[in-house]
Amino acid sequence: MKTALILVGGHASRAGGYPKHQFICGDKTFLEKQVEELSACMDELFIVCRNEDQKKDIPEFQNISYIHDIREGQGPSGGIHSGAWHAGGEYFFVTACDMPYLSCTVIVYLFQAAKGYDAAVPVWDDGKYEPLCAVYRRDAVRNFYETSDDRRLSSLIQGLHTNFVSTHDIRLIDPDLNVFCNVNDFESLSKINI
């Protein structure tokens, strides 16, 4: 069983508070594009909000579960923590709502790369991670957060038995590495909608 989490709980400060999941790419919102892509290759899909109130503002999709952070105010790690307690699959994929070019091919590759590990996390040549385009083992994440309140994703990744997947390997299936494109503000949004 493959589970995916879409984290929508950020405050979008660089976008003036405008919800990034409502950004438009082509003729669809980012969230619509993500749900469409993930529904093609995942068995279970969660939209993770920061709290109960935010859930009211998120569009409803069929066959999608809506959950919220158990530990509020912890950023993306709060969403990953909550997702680990709801995920039905042994492994789950995590993405942020500002990444419009998800790829089932890349995601399935990361699930395969996670086998035998606690996580499969893409890493660039300079050592920077892509923790919000990664696969994690549910029980390992639960165990980490049972003993840690650390909200840094780097601490989670370093605290797990992680398979660091080179972006060079991912480039073989996504030549332009579009899967890692994230759009934080309206200026960036204008560039992808040229």
Side-chain angles (χ1 to χ4, degrees):
M1 182 177 197
K2 292 183 176 69
T3 298
L5 312 177
I6 302 174
L7 308 184
V8 299
H11 292 283
S13 54
R14 284 179 280 183
Y18 186 85
K20 291 187 284 185
H21 64 82
Q22 291 182 15
F23 278 174
I24 301 292
C25 181
D27 61 350
K28 295 177 181 166
T29 66
F30 280 18
L31 193 57
E32 287 170 336
K33 282 179 65 67
Q34 290 182 317
V35 166
E36 184 177 280
E37 184 71 14
L38 290 169
S39 295
C41 55
M42 296 291 110
D43 302 303
E44 178 180 61
L45 182 52
F46 291 96
I47 293 176
V48 188
C49 307
R50 65 178 165 268
N51 54 38
E52 195 71 43
D53 284 342
Q54 189 194 18
K55 284 167 65 174
K56 300 174 200 162
D57 299 326
I58 306 297
E60 289 195 26
F61 295 92
Q62 286 190 334
N63 304 316
I64 306 291
S65 298
Y66 295 77
I67 60 176
H68 59 83
D69 293 353
I70 297 167
R71 297 177 176 176
E72 285 191 44
Q74 293 204 349
S77 67
I80 292 173
H81 168 259
S82 183
W85 285 102
H86 288 88
E90 180 185 2
Y91 288 89
F92 61 88
F93 173 75
V94 176
T95 190
C97 67
D98 59 6
M99 302 177 81
Y101 299 121
L102 297 181
S103 160
C104 278
T105 307
V106 171
I107 295 166
V108 169
Y109 178 80
L110 290 172
F111 270 95
Q112 292 167 346
K115 288 182 181 173
Y117 293 87
D118 293 333
V121 178
V123 61
W124 295 85
D125 286 346
D126 62 4
K128 288 184 181 165
Y129 308 134
E130 290 286 350
L132 299 182
C133 184
V135 170
Y136 299 89
R137 190 168 67 85
R138 179 192 60 206
D139 294 348
V141 172
R142 288 181 182 177
N143 291 338
F144 177 86
Y145 284 123
E146 280 179 354
T147 58
S148 175
D149 288 325
D150 193 328
R151 59 180 286 177
R152 292 171 299 171
L153 293 181
S154 59
S155 298
L156 171 65
I157 291 164
Q158 292 162 9
L160 301 177
H161 179 43
T162 299
N163 182 8
F164 293 101
V165 180
S166 170
T167 54
H168 291 287
D169 295 336
I170 293 173
R171 195 181 289 278
L172 297 174
I173 50 180
D174 182 3
D176 296 322
L177 296 177
N178 288 326
V179 71
F180 300 129
C181 171
N182 73 317
V183 180
N184 288 306
D185 52 42
F186 288 102
E187 182 181 353
S188 302
L189 180 63
S190 68
K191 290 176 182 172
I192 69 163
N193 278 314
I194 293 174

